[in-house]
């Protein structure tokens, strides 16, 4: 029949499938509630994942700072044993400046 023909510019449902139509305000409210529930679930999962990642990053930074501290202490102790405490402090300071320069260079290089 003529009233069942599809308009050639307006696509209709795929062959053999009827597209679900929202019948009224109740269907719209139910669809909106379903969408909000799905978005809330996704937000909760992503928030938990982000919190875990931030916690692990904080632990990593603390351990990295401790490792650098022990490295600098070892440099100081070894150089102080070889050349005295004043020279040991100088060598440790130069090593620290070198280490800071490397980190600055890496930061600039990766931020481009």
């Amino acid at each position: 029949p003529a009233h069942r023909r599809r308009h050639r510019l307006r696509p209709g449902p795929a062959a053999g499938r009827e597209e679900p139509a929202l019948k009224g305000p109740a269907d719209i409210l139910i669809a909106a509630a379903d969408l909000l529930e799905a978005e809330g679930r996704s937000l909760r999962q992503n928030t938990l994942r982000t919190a875990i990642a931030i916690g692990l990053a904080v632990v990593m930074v603390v351990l990295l700072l401790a490792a650098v501290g022990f490295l600098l202490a070892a440099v100081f102790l070894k150089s102080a044993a070889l050349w005295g405490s004043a020279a040991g402090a100088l060598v440790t300071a130069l090593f620290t400046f070198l280490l800071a320069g490397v980190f600055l260079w890496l930061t600039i290089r990766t931020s481009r």
Side-chain angles (χ1 to χ4, degrees):
H3 69 280
R4 297 192 105 199
R5 274 190 235 142
R6 287 189 224 150
H7 191 275
R8 64 185 181 90
L9 297 179
R10 253 186 280 148
R17 289 189 306 191
E18 289 294 322
E19 61 184 34
L22 298 178
K23 303 254 189 279
D27 288 337
I28 293 173
L29 287 174
I30 291 171
D34 288 343
L35 177 63
L36 285 174
E37 179 187 4
E39 289 296 328
R41 207 174 315 120
S42 174
L43 179 65
R44 184 176 36 234
Q45 289 171 350
N46 289 335
T47 302
L48 181 62
R49 232 181 262 133
T50 302
I52 290 171
I54 289 172
L56 289 174
V58 167
V59 169
M60 180 209 51
V61 166
V62 168
L63 290 175
L64 182 64
L65 287 174
V68 169
F70 281 118
L71 177 68
L72 292 175
V75 167
F76 174 73
L77 291 175
K78 184 63 176 177
S79 59
L82 292 174
W83 302 303
S85 55
L90 177 65
V91 169
T92 304
L94 291 175
F95 182 75
T96 304
F97 280 128
L98 177 69
L99 195 61
V102 168
F103 281 123
L104 177 65
W105 178 77
L106 284 172
T107 302
I108 291 171
R109 184 166 169 87
T110 58
S111 66
R112 290 184 189 175

